[in-house]
Amino acid sequence: MTTVILVRHGRTTANATGLLAGRTAGVDLDQVGRDQAALTGERLAAVPLVGVVSSPLERCQQTTQLILDRQAGKPNTLIDPALIECDYGQWQGRTLCDLATEDLWPVVQSQPSAVVFPGGESMAGMQARSVAAIRRHDAAFEAEFGPEAVWVVVSHGDIIKSILADAFGMHLDLFQRINVGPASVSIVHYGVDRPSVYATNTTAGDLSWLSNKILGGDAPVGGGAGQKAP
């Protein structure tokens, strides 16, 4: 199977003020977020991407464009509503400080599999739809470009954390142990037998090694020699 690079959107005006934006329209990257996304685009410039799939929200599309601006080729670009932010229902638009006083808050922290946001979505449902979308796109890119293809998803923190939890084989109740910062890069290779996680939450470093083939098959005992730079 192929390799997917999971990119969280850059910092937004809502992130900077501690607001849970959710699916609110018109939430844009601030200048810090644009700079973060541009740096991610520079990191990915050495990787010939076959596709970029984005959440429909503006902050993800803005991040996507800053990645595409630095690609030498023209990757397929898609918008997938299945990768949109979690529907936080009545929590949307409130500050995190205010939400921390809610009875549901400690459940979100320790048992997210049991959480259904009032008037919104369950966290288990969020994970199910996002993982299904990743698997669907991964299979499509492999069918079109082959198993060495590398593609990008631009989405949201909780979405990417839930995808990584699935790739790690972790129960959703453990997913708050994963950190995914603005414009960070995480890397998963979906092999025949299982996913392999190559990186999480990186905001710096050379990614040109992704230009080489990532081999599937058995995990090397002892960790192996690592990926070769081009």
Side-chain angles (χ1 to χ4, degrees):
M1 302 291 279
T2 67
T3 301
V4 58
I5 300 172
L6 304 166
V7 176
R8 184 184 169 194
H9 61 78
R11 196 182 83 167
T12 68
T13 51
N15 296 145
T17 57
L19 194 72
L20 184 63
R23 298 181 177 184
T24 304
V27 177
D28 297 324
L29 301 184
D30 63 10
Q31 186 57 55
V32 170
R34 289 191 289 273
D35 292 344
Q36 290 170 334
L39 176 59
T40 297
E42 291 289 350
R43 294 180 69 202
L44 292 172
V47 185
L49 303 174
V50 301
V52 181
V53 183
S54 174
S55 157
L57 294 177
E58 291 94 336
R59 55 197 186 266
C60 289
Q61 294 194 56
Q62 291 163 0
T63 301
T64 293
Q65 189 57 56
L66 288 164
I67 292 171
L68 293 172
D69 287 345
R70 288 156 178 79
Q71 282 289 302
K74 293 185 177 180
N76 291 350
T77 56
L78 302 166
I79 294 173
D80 190 347
L83 294 166
I84 197 170
E85 178 66 285
C86 184
D87 183 355
Y88 296 114
Q90 296 170 19
W91 280 33
Q92 180 171 295
R94 295 171 60 187
T95 66
L96 297 178
C97 289
D98 181 31
L99 291 170
T101 67
E102 293 282 351
D103 291 341
L104 187 60
W105 182 267
V107 186
V108 172
Q109 301 303 311
S110 62
Q111 196 181 3
S113 66
V115 169
V116 180
F117 290 103
E121 182 178 26
S122 71
M123 298 194 86
M126 173 198 74
Q127 183 185 44
R129 65 167 167 85
S130 58
V131 170
I134 290 290
R135 297 287 192 156
R136 172 167 45 83
H137 288 296
D138 195 75
F141 282 124
E142 182 188 24
E144 184 172 356
F145 297 103
E148 298 178 26
V150 181
W151 60 287
V152 164
V153 163
V154 181
S155 191
H156 308 270
D158 280 348
I159 300 295
I160 293 173
K161 285 166 61 176
S162 73
I163 293 167
L164 287 170
D166 172 76
F168 277 124
M170 293 168 55
H171 195 281
L172 182 60
D173 286 347
L174 303 178
F175 102 133
Q176 299 292 23
R177 301 183 182 193
I178 301 171
N179 288 291
V180 174
S184 64
V185 167
S186 301
I187 304 168
V188 180
H189 176 71
Y190 284 98
V192 175
D193 298 319
R194 63 186 174 275
S196 294
V197 179
Y198 280 81
T200 63
N201 195 36
T202 69
T203 54
D206 177 28
L207 295 175
S208 61
W209 58 271
L210 283 165
S211 301
N212 291 332
K213 180 180 179 182
I214 291 183
L215 299 174
D218 293 338
V221 176
Q227 297 296 313
K228 293 181 180 180

